[in-house]
């Protein structure tokens, strides 16, 4: 139901000015494999590093997980 609504969805983000975004589809998480949308912790963790190491204010970051489906039978069969 959200297809074609990316712009409207992004407008919900509370920050006015995003300086850096990290995008994942959750399919090739190193050492973990295909996590699907459960891979959202990866971009959040990377943005935490950018905040700690590069001094980017957390309010200026945007983690994004694009749900393109999964090939993992466990995730496909999990309601």
């Amino acid at each position: 139901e959200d297809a074609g609504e990316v712009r409207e969805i992004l407008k919900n983000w509370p920050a006015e000015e995003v300086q850096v975004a990290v995008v994942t589809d959750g399919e090739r998480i190193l050492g973990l494999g295909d996590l699907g949308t459960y891979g959202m912790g990866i971009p959040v963790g990377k943005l935490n590093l950018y905040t700690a190491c590069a001094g980017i204010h957390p309010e200026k970051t945007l983690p994004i997980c694009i749900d393109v489906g999964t090939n993992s039978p466990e995730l496909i069969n999990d309601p």
Side-chain angles (χ1 to χ4, degrees):
E1 78 187 44
D2 292 330
E5 301 296 327
V6 172
R7 187 177 309 263
E8 289 300 313
I9 291 169
L10 289 175
K11 284 182 184 177
N12 290 322
W13 193 250
E16 294 283 327
E17 181 184 332
V18 173
Q19 293 178 338
V20 62
V22 175
V23 181
T24 185
D25 65 4
E27 286 199 14
R28 293 188 183 251
I29 307 294
L30 295 175
L32 300 173
D34 184 357
L35 296 180
T37 56
Y38 291 113
M40 186 60 177
I42 301 303
V44 170
K46 287 182 179 183
L47 290 170
N48 286 335
L49 286 174
Y50 299 159
T51 295
C53 298
I56 298 171
H57 194 283
E59 187 176 275
K60 305 284 185 183
T61 67
L62 176 63
I64 299 173
C65 184
I66 299 173
D67 186 0
V68 295
T70 181
N71 294 326
S72 168
E74 296 90 23
L75 295 176
I76 291 171
N77 295 321
D78 183 8

